[in-house]
């Protein structure tokens, strides 16, 4: 039994078209009409395989193939189909389309698994719209995602309004929670998004653990004033102070972190945002990731100290508000071992590597036995329209997923 790469490739292209624009950009943000269209395509393919489909209270799209024994817990696969702004065509989608190809290979062979098998297309993994992702997986795991219908997205639209495309409401999302015993395991296929596999010419990665990610909103407050008549010495420029801090972020992170420690300022806005006014406030996001909680806390402390020193120098004040915390998450040993057996049997080369990017598996592993299969991202480029993964590697990844599912299905 093998995954059908020609179908996988044409489906990836069809999903890509839901979000591809004439100017070459590609965005399929969660809850958008492009995202809804991609989900309709996905549902249609599942229907052709005789799979049922439903959307849960958190908007996760779940397609299901029944097994011989309806009393057995389900084997879950899947990932997300929402993208970052101008994102790539593989991040997330490979795991959804790849999981469907596993079901298709089984259906075409007339293979009926022992366990029910479900493919989940998770809701709002990327989270750039509301500043926090992993909504669908958090709800399935019973973790309160702390959302409200009133909160605005980055375009000023209320969440309740935005989520109408899925027909879901904030207060109900936790109804998607699943019982620990109803799931045998969860396996997510994903592109690496880093360069380890590509640099070493390795086709398959088995993820050891996923980096934790802590986010903060920082606001520096100075004084808005006239850009022509305020001398340089009289200024309390919020943006200049913020820029001084942002410039320090790589230095501090490198000094107190390790090879895997990263910190990023990804969004920034100033008020009043006028060419002839000295910025009075500057608000920006800060994100810290590492494989160790202690390191993340140390970086947070050192960055706050640096921010304090710089704000003092420029006579401005600041607030440093945590917006989300996720601890680093090791993957499940027995599921990893099944993946390793599968890769070895298929004769593919592999490496066991940590994930710097987060995934729905970061949340799922807190409740369900979870592991991830990586395929290489050429030059490690991701969250970028030039993201690329070779067909032959996608094919290998899907075959590893298929063999792993066959192996975990034997466990009754
Ligand atoms: O940001 C992340 O790590 C993920 O790709 N959403
Ligand atoms: Mn992503
Ligand atoms: Mn992803």
């Amino acid at each position: 039994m093998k995954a059908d790469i020609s179908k996988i490739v044409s489906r990836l292209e069809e999903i890509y078209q839901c979000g591809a624009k004439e100017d070459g950009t590609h965005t399929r943000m969660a809850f958008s009409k492009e995202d809804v269209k991609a989900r309709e395509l996905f549902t249609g393919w599942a229907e052709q395989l005789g799979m049922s489909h439903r959307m849960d209270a958190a908007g996760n799209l779940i397609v299901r193939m029944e097994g011989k024994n309806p009393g057995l817990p389900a084997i879950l696969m899947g990932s997300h189909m929402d993208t970052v702004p101008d994102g790539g065509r593989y991040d997330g989608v490979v795991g959804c389309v790849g999981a469907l190809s596993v079901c298709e290979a089984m259906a075409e062979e007339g293979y009926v698994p022992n366990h029910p098998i479900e493919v989940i297309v998770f809701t709002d993994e990327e989270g750039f719209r509301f500043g926090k992702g992993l909504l669908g997986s958090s709800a399935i795991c019973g973790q309160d995602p702390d959302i409200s219908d009133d909160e605005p997205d980055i375009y000023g639209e209320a969440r309740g309004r935005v989520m109408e495309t899925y027909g879901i409401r904030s207060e109900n999302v936790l109804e998607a929670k699943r019982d620990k015993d109803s799931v045998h395991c969860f396996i997510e296929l994903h592109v690496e998004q880093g360069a380890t596999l590509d640099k070493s010419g390795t086709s398959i990665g088995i993820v050891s653990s996923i980096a934790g990610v802590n986010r903060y909103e920082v606001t520096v407050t100075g004084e808005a004033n006239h850009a022509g008549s305020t001398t340089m010495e009289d200024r309390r420029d919020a943006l200049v102070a913020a820029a001084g801090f942002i410039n320090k972020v790589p230095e501090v992170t490198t000094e107190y972190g390790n090879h895997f420690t990263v910190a990023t300022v990804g969004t920034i806005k100033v008020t009043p945002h006028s060419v002839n006014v000295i910025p009075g406030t500057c608000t920006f996001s800060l994100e810290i990731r590492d494989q160790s909680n202690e390191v993340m806390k140390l970086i947070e402390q050192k960055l706050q100290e640096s921010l304090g020193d710089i704000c003092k120098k420029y006579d401005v004040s600041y607030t440093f508000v945590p917006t989300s915390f996720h601890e680093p998450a090791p993957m499940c040993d027995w599921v990893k071992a099944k993946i390793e057996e599968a890769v070895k049997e298929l004769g593919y080369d592999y490496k066991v590597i940590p994930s710097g990017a987060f995934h729905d598996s970061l949340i799922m592993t807190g409740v369900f036995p979870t592991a991830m299969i990586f395929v290489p991202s050429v030059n490690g480029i991701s969250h970028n329209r030039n993201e690329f993964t070779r067909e032959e590697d996608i094919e290998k990844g899907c075959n590893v997923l298929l063999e792993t599912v066959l192996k975990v299905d034997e466990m009754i």
Side-chain angles (χ1 to χ4, degrees):
M1 227 186 287
K2 285 277 183 287
D4 181 343
I5 188 61
S6 60
K7 270 198 185 146
I8 293 167
V9 168
S10 78
R11 285 176 181 161
L12 288 174
E13 177 60 28
E14 279 189 73
I15 300 283
Y16 170 73
Q17 289 305 331
C18 309
K21 310 275 179 325
E22 273 176 11
D23 63 3
T25 60
H26 168 243
T27 305
R28 189 172 44 256
M29 67 180 170
F31 312 111
S32 63
K33 60 180 191 314
E34 292 83 4
D35 183 46
V36 169
K37 178 135 182 282
R39 283 169 164 235
E40 280 166 7
L41 282 175
F42 198 85
T43 306
W45 298 326
E47 273 175 353
Q48 283 165 19
L49 297 177
M51 296 174 81
S52 62
H53 56 87
R54 69 186 176 95
M55 193 189 281
D56 69 15
N60 295 301
L61 170 63
I62 302 171
V63 303
R64 179 174 166 111
M65 169 183 262
E66 297 306 330
K68 284 187 203 126
N69 186 342
L72 286 178
I75 296 170
L76 308 184
M77 297 179 278
S79 195
H80 63 99
M81 296 205 296
D82 60 309
T83 72
V84 293
D86 200 10
R89 57 167 83 200
Y90 303 93
D91 176 3
V93 189
V94 164
C96 298
V97 168
L100 198 67
S101 78
V102 167
C103 299
E104 184 154 51
M106 289 181 178
E108 282 184 354
E109 287 278 323
Y111 177 92
V112 181
N114 295 309
H115 301 73
I117 296 190
E118 295 184 7
V119 180
I120 306 183
V121 178
F122 289 97
T123 301
D124 198 8
E125 190 271 351
E126 298 288 4
F128 78 89
R129 220 170 157 172
F130 293 95
K132 52 192 161 202
L134 305 168
L135 173 59
S137 45
S138 298
I140 285 182
C141 293
Q143 266 189 32
D144 187 352
D146 190 22
I147 58 172
S148 90
D149 275 0
D150 300 333
E151 66 181 309
D153 71 359
I154 50 171
Y155 310 106
E157 263 197 274
R159 183 187 276 278
R161 200 57 212 282
V162 162
M163 297 202 312
E164 273 171 14
T165 51
Y166 284 18
I168 60 168
R169 297 182 61 87
S170 299
E171 72 249 35
N172 299 334
V173 294
L174 277 175
E175 286 168 19
K177 179 174 187 290
R178 289 178 75 148
D179 192 21
K180 188 173 170 28
D181 299 334
S182 69
V183 174
H184 182 37
C185 62
F186 172 59
I187 311 164
E188 182 172 6
L189 170 68
H190 205 282
V191 292
E192 184 199 340
Q193 309 182 278
T196 309
L197 295 176
D198 189 44
K199 273 188 187 162
S200 61
T202 311
S203 295
I204 299 292
I206 302 175
V207 175
S208 49
S209 70
I210 301 176
V213 50
N214 292 344
R215 288 184 175 159
Y216 312 84
E217 185 180 83
V218 183
T219 299
V220 175
T221 304
E223 187 173 49
N225 209 338
H226 198 287
S229 55
T230 315
T231 62
M232 295 315 280
E233 70 180 311
D234 284 344
R235 290 173 183 227
R236 293 173 58 229
D237 186 326
L239 180 56
V240 169
F245 168 71
I246 293 166
N247 206 29
K248 280 272 177 200
V249 169
E251 205 178 290
V252 171
T253 308
T254 309
E255 182 174 350
Y256 295 99
N258 56 63
H259 176 68
F260 297 113
T261 320
V262 290
T264 305
V265 174
T267 69
I268 188 162
K269 51 183 192 271
V270 297
T271 62
H273 201 239
S274 170
V275 69
N276 55 357
V277 184
I278 297 162
T281 73
C282 178
T283 301
F284 56 92
S285 63
L286 172 67
E287 192 196 75
I288 301 170
R289 304 194 192 201
D290 192 71
Q291 299 289 339
S292 144
N293 228 3
E294 284 66 45
V295 173
M296 286 162 67
K297 284 194 188 127
L298 178 68
I299 301 294
E300 177 195 316
Q301 180 204 325
K302 294 292 176 192
L303 285 176
Q304 268 214 68
E305 284 170 15
S306 169
L307 179 62
D309 291 347
I310 290 167
C311 286
K312 208 164 162 193
K313 176 175 162 197
Y314 289 100
D315 191 21
V316 297
S317 60
Y318 73 90
T319 55
F320 191 94
V321 181
T323 51
S324 66
F325 281 109
H326 291 292
E327 294 200 358
M331 298 288 96
C332 169
D333 285 338
W334 73 256
V335 188
K336 277 191 304 188
K338 292 288 173 196
I339 297 173
E340 192 163 8
E341 275 175 39
V343 186
K344 284 183 173 160
E345 275 176 31
L346 286 162
Y348 302 152
D349 48 349
Y350 72 98
K351 266 184 188 302
V352 178
I353 55 172
S355 174
F358 67 71
H359 306 281
D360 291 298
S361 291
L362 173 69
I363 306 296
M364 294 292 276
T365 194
V367 180
F368 310 110
T370 294
M372 293 191 75
I373 301 162
F374 271 177
V375 286
S377 299
V378 170
N379 294 324
I381 291 179
S382 187
H383 282 187
N384 179 317
R385 72 174 87 158
N386 296 319
E387 178 184 76
F388 180 62
T389 295
R390 290 183 199 89
E391 267 179 47
E392 56 266 36
D393 288 328
I394 295 174
E395 183 176 21
K396 285 181 180 170
C398 292
N399 284 329
V400 173
L401 182 62
L402 171 58
E403 285 305 316
T404 307
V405 167
L406 294 174
K407 284 185 184 301
V408 298
D409 187 44
E410 281 164 14
M411 299 167 64
I412 44 175

PDB file of all heavy atoms in Angstrom, residues 80 84 91 125-126 193 383, ligand 2:
ATOM      1  N   HIS A  80      -3.128  21.791   9.843  1.00  0.00           N
ATOM      2  CA  HIS A  80      -3.968  22.984   9.611  1.00  0.00           C
ATOM      3  C   HIS A  80      -3.876  23.414   8.152  1.00  0.00           C
ATOM      4  O   HIS A  80      -2.927  23.055   7.454  1.00  0.00           O
ATOM      5  CB  HIS A  80      -3.514  24.135  10.508  1.00  0.00           C
ATOM      6  CG  HIS A  80      -2.109  24.583  10.210  1.00  0.00           C
ATOM      7  ND1 HIS A  80      -1.821  25.681   9.432  1.00  0.00           N
ATOM      8  CD2 HIS A  80      -0.897  24.058  10.550  1.00  0.00           C
ATOM      9  CE1 HIS A  80      -0.508  25.822   9.335  1.00  0.00           C
ATOM     10  NE2 HIS A  80       0.085  24.846   9.994  1.00  0.00           N
ATOM     11  N   VAL A  84      -0.084  31.980   7.248  1.00  0.00           N
ATOM     12  CA  VAL A  84       0.309  33.339   7.666  1.00  0.00           C
ATOM     13  C   VAL A  84       0.121  34.255   6.446  1.00  0.00           C
ATOM     14  O   VAL A  84      -0.084  33.762   5.338  1.00  0.00           O
ATOM     15  CB  VAL A  84       1.786  33.373   8.153  1.00  0.00           C
ATOM     16  CG1 VAL A  84       1.943  32.594   9.427  1.00  0.00           C
ATOM     17  CG2 VAL A  84       2.740  32.871   7.077  1.00  0.00           C
ATOM     18  N   ASP A  91       3.148  24.487   4.449  1.00  0.00           N
ATOM     19  CA  ASP A  91       2.996  24.570   5.907  1.00  0.00           C
ATOM     20  C   ASP A  91       1.563  24.171   6.301  1.00  0.00           C
ATOM     21  O   ASP A  91       0.619  24.900   5.992  1.00  0.00           O
ATOM     22  CB  ASP A  91       3.320  26.015   6.342  1.00  0.00           C
ATOM     23  CG  ASP A  91       3.110  26.268   7.829  1.00  0.00           C
ATOM     24  OD1 ASP A  91       2.763  25.330   8.571  1.00  0.00           O
ATOM     25  OD2 ASP A  91       3.309  27.436   8.240  1.00  0.00           O
ATOM     26  N   GLU A 125      -4.571  27.629  13.442  1.00  0.00           N
ATOM     27  CA  GLU A 125      -3.297  27.240  14.045  1.00  0.00           C
ATOM     28  C   GLU A 125      -2.351  28.440  14.099  1.00  0.00           C
ATOM     29  O   GLU A 125      -1.678  28.681  15.091  1.00  0.00           O
ATOM     30  CB  GLU A 125      -2.665  26.098  13.227  1.00  0.00           C
ATOM     31  CG  GLU A 125      -1.458  25.454  13.894  1.00  0.00           C
ATOM     32  CD  GLU A 125      -0.131  26.093  13.560  1.00  0.00           C
ATOM     33  OE1 GLU A 125      -0.070  26.976  12.660  1.00  0.00           O
ATOM     34  OE2 GLU A 125       0.868  25.745  14.194  1.00  0.00           O
ATOM     35  N   GLU A 126      -2.324  29.195  13.000  1.00  0.00           N
ATOM     36  CA  GLU A 126      -1.326  30.272  12.892  1.00  0.00           C
ATOM     37  C   GLU A 126      -1.608  31.420  13.859  1.00  0.00           C
ATOM     38  O   GLU A 126      -0.708  31.961  14.472  1.00  0.00           O
ATOM     39  CB  GLU A 126      -1.253  30.806  11.458  1.00  0.00           C
ATOM     40  CG  GLU A 126      -0.806  29.768  10.425  1.00  0.00           C
ATOM     41  CD  GLU A 126       0.673  29.428  10.537  1.00  0.00           C
ATOM     42  OE1 GLU A 126       1.340  29.924  11.456  1.00  0.00           O
ATOM     43  OE2 GLU A 126       1.156  28.643   9.701  1.00  0.00           O
ATOM     44  N   GLN A 193      10.355  23.381   8.151  1.00  0.00           N
ATOM     45  CA  GLN A 193      10.398  24.847   8.270  1.00  0.00           C
ATOM     46  C   GLN A 193      11.748  25.360   8.743  1.00  0.00           C
ATOM     47  O   GLN A 193      11.934  26.560   8.907  1.00  0.00           O
ATOM     48  CB  GLN A 193       9.273  25.385   9.162  1.00  0.00           C
ATOM     49  CG  GLN A 193       7.893  24.858   8.758  1.00  0.00           C
ATOM     50  CD  GLN A 193       6.763  25.414   9.589  1.00  0.00           C
ATOM     51  OE1 GLN A 193       6.505  24.915  10.681  1.00  0.00           O
ATOM     52  NE2 GLN A 193       6.085  26.410   9.102  1.00  0.00           N
ATOM     53  N   HIS A 383       6.968  30.173   6.095  1.00  0.00           N
ATOM     54  CA  HIS A 383       6.253  31.425   6.360  1.00  0.00           C
ATOM     55  C   HIS A 383       6.683  32.454   5.309  1.00  0.00           C
ATOM     56  O   HIS A 383       6.929  33.617   5.614  1.00  0.00           O
ATOM     57  CB  HIS A 383       6.505  31.935   7.793  1.00  0.00           C
ATOM     58  CG  HIS A 383       5.699  31.177   8.813  1.00  0.00           C
ATOM     59  ND1 HIS A 383       5.639  31.521  10.145  1.00  0.00           N
ATOM     60  CD2 HIS A 383       4.877  30.114   8.682  1.00  0.00           C
ATOM     61  CE1 HIS A 383       4.840  30.693  10.785  1.00  0.00           C
ATOM     62  NE2 HIS A 383       4.365  29.816   9.917  1.00  0.00           N
TER      63      HIS A 383
HETATM   64 MN1  LIG B   2       3.056  28.142  10.155  1.00  0.00          MN
END
